[in-house]
Amino acid sequence: MVPLTRMKLLRLLLLAAMLALLLFISSLWLPQGGVRDCGGSWQPCLKFYRQTPLLVPEEGAEAPPLIPECPGQSFQAGRLLRYLKSSLENADDVLLEPYLQSWDQLLKFMESLGTMVGFFSHKVKEKVALIRELSLKRSLEAHGKRGPPDRSGLQIGANRSVRSMVEAELKDGVVDFSRRTDSGCRTLLRLHRSLLWLKLMLEGLADGPDADGRYRTPGELSRAAYMVALAPHHPWVLRQAAELVFLALPDRRYFLQLVCVRSQREATPVLHAIINALALVHTQTQRILAEHDMLELP
C-alpha cells in the first residue's frame, strides 16, 4: 500500500505544479497596480498615449481609414498598411523589400505582446534575416568587386520580388524538393504560413460578438488561427508549447490599443484595411508558390 500512496502523492504534486505554472503564466497579463509605461520582462510593453481621432469612412467608401501614428510604441499599424500596399506595386508579383518591411512591423506587433510570444517571433525574425542575407549575398556575387547598387540587394536583380527570387533559385538549383535547405523559397514559405496565422487572428479581432454578446478572446482566436495555418506543419511538442502562448496573450482591449483605437467600433475599419492588404499579399504569394509546386517544401 505504501508504494501506491507515494505514487498517488507524486501524481498530485505533478498536477499541482503544472496548474501553478499555467496560473502563473496566465496571471502575467493581469493588471499590476496602476498605469505604467512598460511591464517587466514577462509583460507587454505599451506606452499609453493621447490618440489622434480616427477617421472612420462612411459606409460604402473605398478610401482606407486614416491610421494615426501611436506615440510610445514601436508597432505602427499605418506603416504596416503602407508597406503591404507597396509590396503589391506589380499586378502579378510581390516586391520583397516592402514585404520584409511589413514583417518588421508584424514582428514589432508580436513582440509587443510579451516575452511568451517569442515562441513565434524568434523564428520569424530569423527567417526575415535569412532572406535579407541571401539577397545581399546573391547581389554581391552578381556585381563582384563593384558591390551592389543598393545595400540590401532587394531593389534590383534576382531578389527584387518573390517571382524573380523563385525563378532565380530554381534556375540555380538552390531549391530542393526532397530535403530541407536554407533557400529563400523555403524560408519564404514559412513566412507565408505565419502571415496566414496573423491574418486569421486579426479577422477574428475584427468580428463582432456572438449571439450571446460575447467577444472571443485573443487567446481563442490565436489558437483557432494556429490550428488552420501552422499546426498542420508543427510536431506535437511545438503544438503543446503553443498552447502556453495562447494562455499568456493579453485581453482584447490591449490589442485595440496596439492599432491605436479605443473601441471595437473604431477598430473594425482599421483591422479590415490591414486584413484586406494581408489577404492580397498572401493570395499573390500563394499563387506564385503554387505555380512552381512549392507549397509543401520540406
Side-chain angles (χ1 to χ4, degrees):
M1 293 296 293
V2 175
L4 182 60
T5 302
R6 288 180 178 176
M7 183 62 70
K8 287 183 178 180
L9 180 60
L10 287 174
R11 288 178 179 175
L12 288 173
L13 288 174
L14 180 60
L15 288 173
M18 292 176 64
L19 179 60
L21 176 62
L22 292 176
L23 289 174
F24 171 69
I25 293 172
S26 301
S27 68
L28 294 173
W29 290 103
L30 295 177
Q32 305 290 328
V35 174
R36 297 181 296 180
D37 284 347
C38 292
S41 61
W42 280 67
Q43 293 175 307
C45 181
L46 172 67
K47 294 185 178 180
F48 287 79
Y49 51 85
R50 293 183 179 179
Q51 181 190 5
T52 304
L54 178 70
L55 178 62
V56 180
E58 296 180 0
E59 186 175 355
E62 295 183 0
L66 175 63
I67 305 178
E69 289 280 311
C70 291
Q73 66 180 56
S74 57
F75 169 69
Q76 299 294 336
R79 294 180 196 175
L80 170 60
L81 185 58
R82 184 165 65 250
Y83 292 140
L84 288 169
K85 289 184 175 181
S86 296
S87 71
L88 295 168
E89 182 179 300
N90 295 340
D92 65 341
D93 206 349
V94 177
L95 299 181
L96 269 177
E97 185 169 46
Y99 175 83
L100 296 177
Q101 289 172 326
S102 301
W103 267 113
D104 290 338
Q105 282 298 314
L106 288 169
L107 278 166
K108 291 176 181 178
F109 172 78
M110 295 167 71
E111 290 167 352
S112 296
L113 303 178
T115 306
M116 286 297 293
V117 185
F119 171 79
F120 291 113
S121 63
H122 175 68
K123 288 297 182 182
V124 170
K125 184 178 291 187
E126 286 182 348
K127 289 172 174 57
V128 171
L130 179 58
I131 290 183
R132 285 191 166 120
E133 179 184 330
L134 292 173
S135 299
L136 182 57
K137 180 181 178 181
R138 178 179 288 275
S139 185
L140 287 170
E141 291 173 350
H143 294 88
K145 295 182 179 179
R146 293 176 300 164
D150 66 289
R151 294 183 178 181
S152 65
L154 293 166
Q155 295 180 7
I156 61 174
N159 279 29
R160 181 175 183 271
S161 70
V162 170
R163 187 176 294 280
S164 63
M165 181 184 71
V166 168
E167 292 174 351
E169 289 198 342
L170 283 173
K171 180 181 178 181
D172 294 345
V174 175
V175 182
D176 195 312
F177 289 85
S178 60
R179 64 183 180 86
R180 174 179 174 175
T181 59
D182 287 331
S183 65
C185 293
R186 179 189 181 276
T187 306
L188 176 70
L189 175 61
R190 270 59 186 176
L191 290 177
H192 179 65
R193 292 168 179 169
S194 296
L195 194 74
L196 177 60
W197 170 61
L198 287 167
K199 182 183 83 72
L200 293 175
M201 182 179 68
L202 291 177
E203 285 177 353
L205 287 172
D207 287 342
D210 59 20
D212 297 325
R214 175 183 174 274
Y215 286 95
R216 297 176 70 187
T217 68
E220 292 170 339
L221 296 171
S222 296
R223 180 182 292 106
Y226 175 81
M227 295 305 294
V228 172
L230 295 174
H233 311 286
H234 284 176
W236 181 86
V237 173
L238 286 182
R239 294 198 299 270
Q240 299 309 305
E243 289 295 326
L244 295 178
V245 177
F246 305 141
L247 287 172
L249 287 178
D251 60 20
R252 180 179 286 260
R253 183 174 63 89
Y254 182 84
F255 278 81
L256 299 186
Q257 290 173 344
L258 277 178
V259 294
C260 211
V261 298
R262 292 168 294 189
S263 67
Q264 185 68 37
R265 178 178 175 275
E266 289 183 344
T268 299
V270 174
L271 290 174
H272 280 166
I274 295 173
I275 291 164
N276 289 339
L278 286 170
L280 289 172
V281 171
H282 185 271
T283 299
Q284 193 64 273
T285 307
Q286 177 93 357
R287 182 180 296 115
I288 296 169
L289 293 174
E291 286 175 6
H292 299 86
D293 297 322
M294 289 186 174
L295 292 176
E296 297 297 333
L297 286 177

